[in-house]
Amino acid sequence: MPKEPAVALRVGYDTLDGTLQVWPSRGTLAGDPQATTAVAKAVDEWRSPVEDRVHLPSSGILWLGEVDGARLALVAADVPGESASWLLQLTSDGTDFRVDRAVEYTDPGYLVYSDVLPVQLPTGRRYLVSARVDRLLGPDRQTLAVTDGLTAPVAVPACAAATVTARLRPSESLPSGKSADRLVDLGTGTAGPRYPLVNDDTASAGAALRGLDTCRLGEKTGAFGSIAHRVHGRVHPGSVPASWPIDQVRTKTLGEVALDDSGRLSKLEQLRWRTDDGVMTAVMVRPADGPPVVSAADRSEPLQGYLLPLPSPVVVLVWEDSSESSLTLPPGTPRRIDRPGLVVLDKPTSRQTYSLTHSDETIQRSFGGN
């Protein structure tokens, strides 16, 4: 029998909405002390990418039972080292459990404040829903079957966005309930520890991410993966990128532009989203034929600068045009496009700096060279 850790791990979570227990203990093994002890032991031994450990007294087993012939545990793990909240997924073929998937909930606050959590199994995506969820619609707008809080497998693509929508029943915090609590799933190919669900209350994320390869967005050169998380001033590649989205994903059209030798017009858009580190942006071009091309991320500032990785790379500079702003380029810089608030240049062969004077401050962006 597994050795019991110094502190037990509660079954369920004591989050209340009035008298409603939002995350009650669920699953056929939730009352099995041997199974819960084995889960607690595995969680106690797990470490985050920065070697932080779980604080067991403020964590809880949300679901513990059997799925597809194997034992599964889902744990809301409080990791106080960086004020982080993790969803740990554990499996077992025998007596002991092991953490085989861990994703960090990047929205400040506790994971258990959410009502729909992602579960990834060999048979595909499932969702664990709170007691507040009255109905959950899948990407095809059909109601998902839910048993003891866990849905049946859901057809979610690996590298494309899919929308799921929860209807929340009336409660003390939501006296009228909520008819459409929207989430965008970035796909089953989203690699941990990145959290694959993005809040979409504005219903803008689905349209913004249409046609985009979400796996590529999450890579080191992609919009969502390009700004690394720093721990004590040092880059920590195993952590969730600082540019990983929480919500407010939307696009803004910058104009129709011709960026290749054919002269055909393509739509140039600015992609914008909120992260735990603030608002981030990128630019993308949607050609008339072929997949969209997306830049890496830039933090939201008065002057935004991007390198768009086309066959002939271009630099895109974006700012809010006003009488108080003035863009300065190196003398003789040729401009492919020069419009109020938008300049597109060929990528320079040597390092060049572009400056925007705005409200008594100067913001610079540099591109080119190696």
Side-chain angles (χ1 to χ4, degrees):
M1 183 172 179
K3 182 180 178 182
E4 188 171 348
V7 179
L9 183 62
R10 82 185 85 180
V11 181
Y13 207 91
D14 59 4
T15 305
L16 296 177
D17 189 347
T19 59
L20 177 67
Q21 187 173 2
V22 179
W23 290 105
S25 61
R26 289 185 290 189
T28 55
L29 296 174
D32 184 331
Q34 184 173 352
T36 57
T37 297
V39 170
K41 178 177 181 293
V43 171
D44 192 46
E45 293 173 349
W46 178 82
R47 297 293 181 270
S48 77
V50 294
E51 295 300 317
D52 284 333
R53 64 187 304 167
V54 175
H55 185 246
L56 294 185
S58 52
S59 302
I61 301 172
L62 303 182
W63 201 93
L64 178 56
E66 291 191 0
V67 180
D68 299 331
R71 297 199 296 173
L72 170 72
L74 300 171
V75 174
D78 179 24
V79 184
E82 285 198 299
S83 301
S85 192
W86 288 72
L87 176 62
L88 305 184
Q89 185 173 310
L90 301 89
T91 56
S92 170
D93 295 326
T95 302
D96 296 332
F97 278 81
R98 64 183 179 278
V99 176
D100 56 15
R101 185 172 176 83
V103 291
E104 183 180 356
Y105 184 66
T106 43
D107 195 356
Y110 288 108
L111 173 79
V112 290
Y113 294 160
S114 296
D115 290 291
V116 180
L117 306 181
V119 181
Q120 183 60 36
L121 296 174
T123 52
R125 173 75 84 228
R126 294 178 186 244
Y127 299 102
L128 182 68
V129 299
S130 79
R132 278 194 295 234
V133 174
D134 179 53
R135 183 186 68 182
L136 186 65
L137 300 181
D140 59 359
R141 302 295 298 169
Q142 297 299 307
T143 300
L144 299 176
V146 178
T147 302
D148 208 9
L150 192 65
T151 71
V154 183
V156 172
C159 296
T163 299
V164 293
T165 307
R167 183 174 67 193
L168 306 183
R169 56 174 48 94
S171 63
E172 184 175 286
S173 65
L174 293 169
S176 300
K178 188 174 183 180
S179 61
D181 187 25
R182 296 182 186 85
L183 296 163
V184 167
D185 193 324
L186 296 177
T188 59
T190 301
R194 296 160 175 81
Y195 194 76
L197 300 187
V198 175
N199 292 325
D200 189 27
D201 279 343
T202 59
S204 59
L209 298 173
R210 175 182 52 82
L212 300 186
D213 184 323
T214 52
C215 294
R216 294 189 67 179
L217 288 178
E219 294 175 356
K220 290 181 180 179
T221 56
F224 293 162
S226 52
I227 298 181
H229 175 62
R230 291 180 175 271
V231 180
H232 306 305
R234 299 178 61 183
V235 171
H236 200 286
S239 298
V240 176
S243 48
W244 194 253
I246 292 174
D247 58 13
Q248 299 178 22
V249 180
R250 61 186 186 273
T251 55
K252 172 185 175 182
T253 299
L254 299 176
E256 299 284 332
V257 296
L259 295 178
D260 58 27
D261 295 335
S262 71
R264 289 178 297 181
L265 293 178
S266 300
K267 181 183 288 186
L268 184 65
E269 297 179 322
Q270 186 179 51
L271 183 65
R272 186 181 182 90
W273 66 97
R274 188 175 71 93
T275 75
D276 190 27
D277 268 23
V279 174
M280 304 278 179
T281 63
V283 290
M284 60 181 171
V285 61
R286 293 185 183 270
D289 52 0
V293 179
V294 188
S295 75
D298 189 21
R299 297 179 187 274
S300 182
E301 292 191 14
L303 176 62
Q304 307 278 272
Y306 317 93
L307 182 63
L308 198 54
L310 298 169
S312 296
V314 297
V315 172
V316 180
L317 302 173
V318 179
W319 70 99
E320 289 292 334
D321 185 54
S322 72
S323 59
E324 298 179 351
S325 60
S326 175
L327 182 70
T328 302
L329 305 180
T333 301
R335 313 179 189 200
R336 281 198 180 199
I337 296 169
D338 189 351
R339 301 173 185 169
L342 173 66
V343 165
V344 180
L345 319 161
D346 288 319
K347 177 187 175 184
T349 56
S350 60
R351 197 74 170 168
Q352 298 288 335
T353 298
Y354 314 107
S355 304
L356 180 76
T357 302
H358 174 80
S359 300
D360 298 326
E361 66 172 328
T362 299
I363 302 96
Q364 296 183 330
R365 289 288 185 271
S366 297
F367 294 92
N370 295 327

